[in-house]
Amino acid sequence: MNIAKTSLSVAALAVLGLAANRRLREILYAKAARLPVAENDITVERGLSFETTDGITLVSDLYRPTGVQSHPTIIIRTSYGRGHSSSVRYPAFFARRGYVVLIQDVRGCGDSGGVFVPLVDERRDGAATVAWVKRQPWCDGRIAAFGVSYLGYTSTAIGVDNDPAVNAVFSAAAPSGFRRILYGTGGFDLDTSLRWAKFVKQLQDAGYQVRISTMLREQILSQLGRARHAEPFDHLPIVDADAAATGSPIAQYQTFVRSADPDTPYWAASSITEEEISGIEAPVFLSSSWHDTALRDVLIDYEALASAGKAPLLSIGAGPHSNVSESLGYLRNAKSWFDHRLKGVPVDEAHPTVRFRVLGTREWWEADRWPVAVRSKRLYLQRGHALTEVPPIEDAATTSYRYDPMDPTPAVGGPLLLAMKPVKNNAQLEARGDTLVFTAQPFECATVVIGEIKATINVDTDVETVDLFVRINRVSRAGRSENVTDSIERLSLGSAAGGAVTVELSLVPTAIRFKRGERLRLLIASGAHPRVARNLGQGSTAEQAFMTEGRAATITVHHSRLRPSFIELPIAGPPANTRSYRAS
């Protein structure tokens, strides 16, 4: 823990506590968080409602500047209860800064009627909400959609309908194609599925009155390994993991775990296609962070819009999916952008369309397009666990490890849903018998890697299906090895088991500066449990959901002249536009 930063935070809280005047507290908080200061008091109207064409009542609260009759309106649609502290901070923030804000319980959540089926009804209900808002006297005809995580999906869903009154869409840490989060690796994202479904059930059981402090406490205890009710990630079969966690099945989890087949009707009803994303006419601002579970999907949405000539804005921070600092950044960006799009506040003509934090620095780099221009540097796996720029010369060279699904290789750090500290010391992971590491020589000068690191690995194994996990770590001059980025892919070999196959992986994009003297390390394994449910070595992913036993596997990595394995680093030159900011 950084004692200096902690002391500063405690001091800031003490000052806020001593400030008896609410207005003074708000000013101090805004300054500390680098947020625009509130401009006005607000009035809140509770329980506004309307009925959809299929007879479902959707319930909302309205926040607006006191004394204002009509203003640009921001729509926020939440699955977590509009009064829950994780949701209510957003409408209060914007309303105090000159906007009318409608926050609504989505279908089947909070006070809204109907049944909650994740993602399925958000497009039609979002369109119905926009149509209703346009008729209200407090809306001046200019509308924006805002959201983070699930709320970000509902924001994108509003944009897809292309109502001409929607002038801006801000979506942060939100995938439009949720199947890519759960099954994009070929395996099943057990961590995200079970944690999120359990979170939703807690809210439902408590009537959406669960305090955020209670949930934060559980999150902290979970990170320390002392959670009172730890999720039973090791339970088999995984189709029953929800019942093991709560005593009964959870509808949302059952939907996820039973939908491995991409042709399952659920995915057709719940996903927004890249073609639909590219057709959004309203200006779109997308945000994420380097350790966000949704990062790769946010970039897919960005590419769909950019390729269609829509000029989306993109901002990528440094933290995980659930992070206070990132949330403050989302608010800062959204406020500035809404002021421009809904109120006509001018912006600098040279303002970049892409902005991202470079890990290992306090710098934010700016660009006109993602990905940025880079040169490729290839490093080959060698005997002796080395990585070198020189190709291997031996005709036959291999290194093997054994993976036991009944003692799965754990996920240590990385983009887990509720990770508070996604970057961790990988020493214990690297010391396991079911991992391999290959380390490069120290960097002779500071080197910036930006974009997708690609890995080409030649492997063979003795089971019909196995996962290949590839991670890049940064090794400090003192020898501490910390994770940077990774990727995992499920290999379905079937009758090809026992023969070498070439696997090409694109790791989750990153931006990081390696200092002079630091080293790059490649870690190879066959699991990242429970981020991806353990591969049991037999059957399809759908079949494995019902299995209770696994087959151990021997995995052999080839790194010879005839079967080279290597990684390709995207090395960036000096940026055209660089600005340094205090780390947020």
Side-chain angles (χ1 to χ4, degrees):
M1 179 179 291
N2 188 312
I3 296 176
K5 287 185 177 180
T6 302
S7 299
L8 182 62
S9 299
V10 171
L13 290 174
V15 171
L16 291 175
L18 291 173
N21 181 277
R22 179 180 60 81
R23 177 66 174 168
L24 177 58
R25 289 200 305 271
E26 290 176 354
I27 293 173
L28 290 173
Y29 174 75
K31 292 295 185 182
R34 295 192 295 119
L35 294 171
V37 176
E39 302 166 0
N40 47 259
D41 291 329
I42 60 173
T43 300
V44 182
E45 298 177 47
R46 310 284 185 187
L48 281 68
S49 65
F50 72 92
E51 192 171 287
T52 63
T53 55
D54 61 339
I56 299 300
T57 299
L58 299 179
V59 181
S60 309
D61 291 340
L62 187 72
Y63 293 67
R64 57 176 167 174
T66 299
V68 169
Q69 297 304 310
S70 67
H71 245 46
T73 301
I74 299 171
I75 297 175
I76 303 172
R77 306 188 63 248
T78 178
S79 56
Y80 305 134
R82 68 192 191 281
H84 189 270
S85 53
S86 65
S87 301
V88 75
R89 57 188 174 186
Y90 299 131
F93 170 84
F94 289 115
R96 292 191 186 281
R97 290 156 180 85
Y99 290 91
V100 172
V101 186
L102 184 86
I103 182 166
Q104 181 184 86
D105 291 330
V106 304
R107 181 181 297 235
C109 294
D111 293 325
S112 289
V115 176
F116 178 54
V117 182
L119 313 173
V120 168
D121 295 296
E122 309 310 354
R123 290 181 59 176
R124 65 170 174 171
D125 288 350
T129 301
V130 170
W132 178 74
V133 165
K134 289 193 300 182
R135 299 193 299 268
Q136 305 311 307
W138 35 260
C139 177
D140 69 0
R142 294 170 291 177
I143 295 174
F146 171 88
V148 178
S149 193
Y150 192 97
L151 287 63
Y153 177 89
T154 66
S155 178
T156 302
I158 285 175
V160 168
D161 190 57
N162 281 330
D163 190 299
V166 177
N167 299 122
V169 174
F170 187 98
S171 176
S176 59
F178 195 62
R179 187 181 185 279
R180 291 192 298 260
I181 293 285
L182 298 189
Y183 288 101
T185 66
F188 175 60
D189 190 329
L190 177 60
D191 178 84
T192 295
S193 301
L194 186 55
R195 287 192 193 276
W196 189 79
K198 182 182 174 183
F199 172 56
V200 171
K201 186 175 190 304
Q202 285 178 322
L203 290 172
Q204 292 172 335
D205 291 348
Y208 294 88
Q209 299 302 312
V210 175
R211 294 178 58 195
I212 192 65
S213 58
T214 302
M215 304 202 70
L216 179 60
R217 180 175 182 273
E218 285 297 311
Q219 184 178 355
I220 294 171
L221 289 174
S222 177
Q223 296 295 313
L224 296 175
R226 298 199 297 268
R228 290 176 298 170
H229 305 293
E231 287 76 1
F233 290 124
D234 292 336
H235 181 85
L236 290 175
I238 61 171
V239 72
D240 297 331
D242 54 344
T246 64
S248 61
I250 304 173
Q252 290 79 22
Y253 178 80
Q254 289 298 311
T255 296
F256 296 153
V257 77
R258 295 173 183 271
S259 300
D261 187 340
D263 294 327
T264 300
Y266 171 72
W267 297 120
S270 63
S271 296
I272 300 173
T273 67
E274 290 178 44
E275 290 75 17
E276 290 169 325
I277 291 291
S278 66
I280 296 176
E281 295 298 333
V284 177
F285 195 133
L286 298 172
S287 285
S288 186
S289 51
W290 294 126
H291 299 291
D292 178 18
T293 51
L295 172 62
R296 197 190 291 271
D297 292 82
V298 170
L299 292 176
I300 289 173
D301 290 349
Y302 168 83
E303 180 59 33
L305 286 161
S307 296
K310 300 299 176 63
L313 299 186
L314 174 67
S315 178
I316 307 174
H321 182 78
S322 303
N323 182 270
V324 173
S325 293
E326 297 303 334
S327 294
L328 293 175
Y330 300 152
L331 289 174
R332 284 192 293 270
N333 287 336
K335 166 64 167 59
S336 174
W337 194 57
F338 287 160
D339 284 351
H340 173 58
R341 289 296 176 184
L342 276 70
K343 295 183 177 181
V345 176
V347 296
D348 183 355
E349 291 298 325
H351 184 74
T353 57
V354 176
R355 181 174 177 267
F356 57 89
R357 174 77 175 273
V358 178
L359 300 173
T361 75
R362 291 189 173 186
E363 293 179 358
W364 286 80
W365 283 21
E366 300 173 343
D368 295 327
R369 187 72 156 79
W370 179 269
V372 300
V374 294
R375 62 180 176 86
S376 181
K377 177 179 180 180
R378 182 173 290 189
L379 296 176
Y380 292 89
L381 283 64
Q382 302 278 9
R383 188 185 296 278
H385 301 277
L387 280 174
T388 73
E389 293 185 63
V390 179
I393 60 174
E394 299 175 273
D395 287 342
T398 62
T399 307
S400 299
Y401 62 95
R402 188 160 179 79
Y403 170 76
D404 182 358
M406 307 317 288
D407 179 23
T409 315
V412 178
L416 296 164
L417 182 66
L418 294 182
M420 298 181 68
K421 187 180 179 183
V423 177
K424 293 190 174 183
N425 187 346
N426 274 219
Q428 291 185 342
L429 178 63
E430 293 171 353
R432 286 178 61 104
D434 54 3
T435 65
L436 299 179
V437 294
F438 297 82
T439 308
Q441 290 296 309
F443 285 98
E444 296 179 354
C445 61
T447 302
V448 180
V449 173
I450 298 179
E452 288 187 347
I453 299 172
K454 298 184 183 297
T456 299
I457 311 295
N458 280 280
V459 297
D460 64 53
T461 184
D462 55 357
V463 295
E464 65 184 63
T465 177
V466 71
D467 290 354
L468 184 65
F469 176 74
V470 175
R471 166 171 283 179
I472 296 297
N473 288 339
R474 176 173 58 176
V475 184
S476 71
R477 281 173 283 191
R480 181 182 175 89
S481 181
E482 295 183 332
N483 55 291
V484 175
T485 183
D486 52 48
S487 186
I488 187 170
E489 182 172 327
R490 179 150 298 184
L491 311 180
S492 298
L493 305 176
S495 60
V501 296
T502 301
V503 183
E504 296 180 348
L505 287 173
S506 293
L507 279 62
V508 176
T510 190
I512 184 169
R513 173 175 288 144
F514 288 87
K515 298 176 183 177
R516 181 177 180 274
E518 292 184 331
R519 291 174 293 161
L520 180 146
R521 178 168 291 163
L522 171 69
L523 181 144
I524 297 176
S526 287
H529 180 74
R531 182 167 135 199
V532 175
R534 71 187 88 181
N535 191 333
L536 297 175
Q538 55 190 337
S540 67
T541 297
E543 292 168 335
Q544 287 191 18
F546 299 89
M547 293 181 179
T548 58
E549 298 292 336
R551 293 175 56 194
T554 297
I555 298 94
T556 299
V557 176
H558 296 256
H559 42 81
S560 66
R561 179 179 64 84
L562 300 176
R563 290 191 177 278
S565 293
F566 53 87
I567 61 172
E568 294 179 89
L569 300 178
I571 307 295
N577 301 303
T578 307
R579 296 181 185 175
S580 294
Y581 300 84
R582 176 181 293 275
S584 57

